[in-house]
Amino acid sequence: MAVCGLPAGAVAARRPRKPTLFPYLICTCREPMARHKKKLGEILVDWKIISPKALEDALKYAEEHHKRIGQALVELELCREEDVAKALAAEFGVDYVDVDQTAAIAANMHLIPGKIMKDRQILPLGQENGRLRVIVSDPLDLELLDLLRFTVNPTIDIVIAAPSKIKRFIDKHLSEVGEKMKSTLTSIDEDREEEEAEGIKIAGEEPDAPIIKLLNQYITEAVNMRASDIHIEPMADRVRVRYRVDGECLEKQKIPKAVQGAVIARLKLMSGIDIAERRLPQDGRIKLTIGGKDIDFRVSTCPAYHGESCVLRILRPESVRVGIPSLGLEQDDYNAFMKTIKRPNGIFLVTGPTGSGKTTTLYSALQELNRPDRKIITAEDPVEYNFSGINQCQVRDDIGLTFARILRAMLRQAPNIILVGEIRDLEVGEVAIQAALTGHLVFSTLHTNDASSAITRLIDMGIKPFLVASSIQAILAQRLTRVICEECKEDDPDPDPKLMRLLRFTADELRGRLKRGAGCKRCLGTGFRGRLGIFEMLTMTNELRELAFNRASTSQVRKTARASGMRGLLEDGRIKVLRGVTTLREVAKHAQVEGVVLEE
């Protein structure tokens, strides 16, 4: 009699197995075998599905044709395939499922790559508490369990179903996914599809695969739209794709939920990220050639409720080589800026939230100072743009290469100018200030709302007030506002009264000077194209140094700075509104006004 579904005659040749290296196999296969002594054929006899004589005939047939007993019973039409599957489930102590009656399968197809499902004839039933339930037809396929262990999930629980039903479901499902993919690809800008898809070249890749073609199309479209980021966000019933253009997110075509796993896996493969790791955030990089230009993408994945979210940051070198005159500084702030960066020592801080253009401002300053007679070293996390003539060092916390450690090493390299990506804590702040006090010009960033609060923020970190007062030369706070499209710019005859009050404008001041974008093809109908900074330039004076030394409040520092000529973000934005560069709403969104909340 066959043992555990093996061909008859295989019992004598079977050797005792060594203990398995994979504990999960014990709970899914071997332990149930110890508890359930009856074999497949005996179970079917006990259930009165076959007679003892039919079992003997099947065993003989199986031995002659080198088949398993279950397969022999079905081929001899002694019982149904479903009966064999149910008996196998009873033999191994696992559940049986009817694939045709189980709705949960379709919603969980993304849990296993389609190629593995098709090649190994398996289906995902669901995932709970980190354990993946997989529908199989052969519980003894230990190679399959090892494959799933290393590629999908370390903990696998099996359930059994009839093999023909599994195959029929896979064939039908993959066919539907193929149709959805075809529809999605066709709907994305058909007129430019072939031309743009040819713009992406990856060595050794076959560009005709549906997933590759889909992602290439999205990436190319985002680059051509001047997007800074591509957001791929799994949701309950779909995968949302959004591009961030001029700081605003624009939703694009949706990706079918069924191919979510394949899309994320493809992006991980392109960026050199561990495909099997789904529990932790990961970072990687992609280099692509699009339209004849080499473009870098910084890729970040993060586990979320409906699956891993993925963001591609598009890194264009020309975006940080705009030059200081193109940043948007007014003439007096420009003069103060140039005077500060040409000092031999001290600290120049740029503050603002994420995405406010701090990196662009600092790189513009470095480009202005980058000459053969100066040595410039940077510590960045990460290094996004490479510049000739500048020594750039990548922070790697995993091996102990922190900002503070790089800074200390920098000082032994005899630099003239140092850039620290961000002052995050007391240790980095103290080393940066010591560098400034020993004859180095130090550039860095800080996350504060305005220039005045940067002084109190450093003191709150634990840096001694006299060090802050003596080392800082200037602080620049900034935001980015969208610029009205020149192609569709027109007069705005009906400004919002609330926005006028918020920005302290009168109707007479705005008459004939206020502009808006009507929306055109060049600006994608938004009315805006490009961004420009609004700034708050605080230059340290003796009075401000005295306030810092005495631990004065932010409000006191701000009042004194304004009395010394500092123009706030709101005032700088007002100038740009009157010049017709941007709109009232754009300035109101980004300029801080106490006690006022802007309603969208």
Side-chain angles (χ1 to χ4, degrees):
M1 182 179 295
V3 178
C4 298
L6 293 173
V11 178
R14 188 169 180 174
R15 298 284 190 273
R17 291 184 178 177
K18 294 181 181 179
T20 179
L21 297 177
F22 306 105
Y24 70 89
L25 294 181
I26 295 175
C27 66
T28 56
C29 296
R30 295 181 62 192
E31 192 174 24
M33 288 171 58
R35 290 199 304 265
H36 298 274
K37 303 296 183 182
K38 289 188 177 181
K39 308 301 182 285
L40 175 68
E42 295 173 335
I43 293 171
L44 290 170
V45 171
D46 287 350
W47 289 353
K48 302 187 184 307
I49 293 175
I50 61 172
S51 65
K53 177 65 170 62
L55 178 58
E56 290 180 8
D57 294 341
L59 289 170
K60 184 177 179 181
Y61 178 86
E63 186 173 2
E64 290 175 353
H65 295 84
H66 305 287
K67 295 181 181 292
R68 294 190 177 186
I69 182 63
Q71 188 178 0
L73 287 166
V74 173
E75 289 184 3
L76 292 173
E77 299 183 353
L78 294 174
C79 67
R80 299 178 306 158
E81 191 180 54
E82 289 83 353
D83 296 329
V84 173
K86 291 176 182 178
L88 273 175
E91 179 182 357
F92 285 92
V94 297
D95 293 334
Y96 166 83
V97 297
D98 185 345
V99 171
D100 294 340
Q101 303 298 321
T102 308
I105 301 173
N108 290 287
M109 291 292 280
H110 62 281
L111 295 176
I112 299 177
K115 180 173 173 53
I116 294 180
M117 285 191 291
K118 187 172 182 180
D119 292 347
R120 308 309 295 256
Q121 292 295 292
I122 60 172
L123 289 168
L125 183 57
Q127 190 170 13
E128 186 175 356
N129 297 326
R131 304 179 69 89
L132 178 64
R133 301 190 75 198
V134 181
I135 302 172
V136 303
S137 59
D138 181 7
L140 288 174
D141 191 347
L142 302 184
E143 181 184 348
L144 167 63
L145 295 176
D146 288 343
L147 173 65
L148 293 174
R149 161 69 174 81
F150 286 110
T151 60
V152 180
N153 193 304
T155 310
I156 305 294
D157 292 332
I158 64 169
V159 296
I160 294 177
S164 63
K165 290 190 175 184
I166 294 176
K167 183 179 186 305
R168 186 163 60 246
F169 188 95
I170 290 174
D171 291 344
K172 179 176 182 294
H173 176 80
L174 293 183
S175 173
E176 290 176 352
V177 170
E179 289 300 318
K180 289 181 180 178
M181 288 294 299
K182 182 178 179 181
S183 174
T184 301
L185 288 169
T186 303
S187 65
I188 303 175
D189 204 353
E190 293 179 343
D191 295 334
R192 297 184 299 161
E193 182 176 350
E194 293 184 5
E195 176 184 350
E196 292 178 350
E198 290 175 358
I200 295 183
K201 297 179 182 178
I202 306 174
E205 296 286 0
E206 175 54 56
D208 293 333
I211 294 295
I212 297 175
K213 192 174 181 182
L214 177 68
L215 286 175
N216 286 357
Q217 183 65 34
Y218 279 133
I219 291 171
T220 304
E221 185 180 39
V223 170
N224 289 340
M225 289 176 62
R226 303 175 298 102
S228 59
D229 304 274
I230 304 173
H231 298 262
I232 298 175
E233 304 162 323
M235 305 185 79
D237 57 347
R238 68 188 192 280
V239 180
R240 182 170 66 176
V241 178
R242 295 192 291 173
Y243 303 156
R244 188 179 294 278
V245 181
D246 293 333
E248 301 290 324
C249 284
L250 305 177
E251 187 163 350
K252 305 304 294 181
Q253 296 285 342
K254 300 175 182 64
I255 296 177
K257 183 70 174 178
V259 297
Q260 170 183 317
V263 168
I264 300 299
R266 169 63 185 167
L267 288 171
K268 287 184 172 182
L269 181 65
M270 293 171 68
S271 55
I273 292 176
D274 182 4
I275 296 178
E277 180 56 75
R278 300 183 179 185
R279 301 163 296 175
L280 297 173
Q282 297 186 83
D283 295 299
R285 291 181 80 102
I286 302 174
K287 283 184 176 289
L288 297 177
T289 302
I290 302 178
K293 294 182 179 180
D294 293 333
I295 297 179
D296 284 359
F297 297 80
R298 194 178 79 198
V299 182
S300 173
T301 64
C302 182
Y305 186 78
H306 295 295
E308 287 181 286
S309 173
C310 187
V311 176
L312 284 74
R313 169 67 61 87
I314 303 173
L315 306 177
R316 298 180 180 86
E318 66 273 11
S319 66
V320 291
R321 293 191 175 111
V322 297
I324 297 173
S326 301
L327 295 176
L329 291 160
E330 297 301 319
Q331 189 60 47
D332 55 345
D333 285 344
Y334 174 81
N335 294 337
F337 185 96
M338 296 300 294
K339 182 179 179 180
T340 301
I341 67 172
K342 291 180 178 179
R343 294 181 65 93
N345 55 43
I347 293 181
F348 179 36
L349 289 176
V350 180
T351 75
T354 301
S356 60
K358 299 187 298 295
T359 300
T360 299
T361 298
L362 289 178
Y363 276 138
S364 298
L366 291 185
Q367 284 294 102
E368 178 72 21
L369 300 171
N370 187 14
R371 297 201 318 237
D373 62 335
R374 291 193 178 104
K375 179 163 184 174
I376 303 174
I377 306 179
T378 72
E380 303 172 63
D381 183 20
V383 175
E384 294 186 347
Y385 304 96
N386 295 315
F387 290 90
S388 176
I390 298 177
N391 302 277
Q392 297 173 270
C393 190
Q394 167 81 49
V395 171
R396 291 188 59 187
D397 290 325
D398 56 328
I399 61 172
L401 191 61
T402 61
F403 273 121
R405 190 166 184 177
I406 294 173
L407 266 174
R408 291 191 178 94
M410 281 181 180
L411 298 180
R412 296 191 290 272
Q413 297 281 315
N416 300 106
I417 300 166
I418 294 172
L419 183 145
V420 185
E422 180 185 349
I423 296 179
R424 299 178 177 176
D425 51 39
L426 173 61
E427 185 179 17
V428 176
E430 286 183 335
V431 178
I433 285 178
Q434 289 299 328
L437 294 176
T438 53
H440 303 88
L441 180 60
V442 179
F443 294 98
S444 190
T445 68
L446 198 64
H447 287 286
T448 60
N449 288 328
D450 56 23
S452 307
S453 57
I455 295 174
T456 53
R457 172 80 178 108
L458 291 173
I459 295 173
D460 289 343
M461 280 185 184
I463 300 173
K464 293 180 176 59
F466 76 90
L467 292 177
V468 174
S470 58
S471 61
I472 293 179
Q473 300 299 333
I475 304 169
L476 180 71
Q478 68 178 72
R479 302 290 189 275
L480 289 178
T481 61
R482 290 186 293 174
V483 175
I484 300 171
C485 176
E486 291 294 333
E487 294 290 327
C488 58
K489 181 186 288 189
E490 63 181 19
D491 290 336
D492 185 356
D494 187 25
D496 187 333
K498 181 178 179 179
L499 293 176
M500 289 173 59
R501 291 194 303 270
L502 185 63
L503 271 64
R504 302 161 192 163
F505 278 119
T506 64
D508 290 338
E509 286 180 291
L510 294 177
R511 187 171 292 114
R513 305 175 75 176
L514 187 62
K515 304 294 182 182
R516 67 182 180 187
C520 63
K521 184 176 181 181
R522 184 172 180 266
C523 63
L524 306 175
T526 63
F528 299 94
R529 184 176 174 88
R531 288 190 290 176
L532 202 63
I534 56 174
F535 300 93
E536 183 177 86
M537 185 75 178
L538 184 154
T539 302
M540 292 296 284
T541 62
N542 291 333
E543 292 82 1
L544 290 171
R545 294 186 195 281
E546 186 71 22
L547 289 174
F549 182 79
N550 292 320
R551 297 176 179 265
S553 65
T554 299
S555 59
Q556 288 178 289
V557 173
R558 183 173 184 81
K559 183 178 179 180
T560 303
R562 292 179 69 89
S564 301
M566 183 187 78
R567 184 170 50 248
L569 294 171
L570 181 63
E571 288 78 15
D572 199 56
R574 281 170 49 90
I575 293 173
K576 292 174 172 59
V577 168
L578 293 174
R579 290 214 318 261
V581 173
T582 189
T583 64
L584 294 171
R585 179 168 291 277
E586 279 297 302
V587 173
K589 277 198 305 185
H590 300 290
Q592 186 177 8
V593 182
E594 293 184 4
V596 179
V597 177
L598 176 64
E599 297 179 358
E600 293 292 341

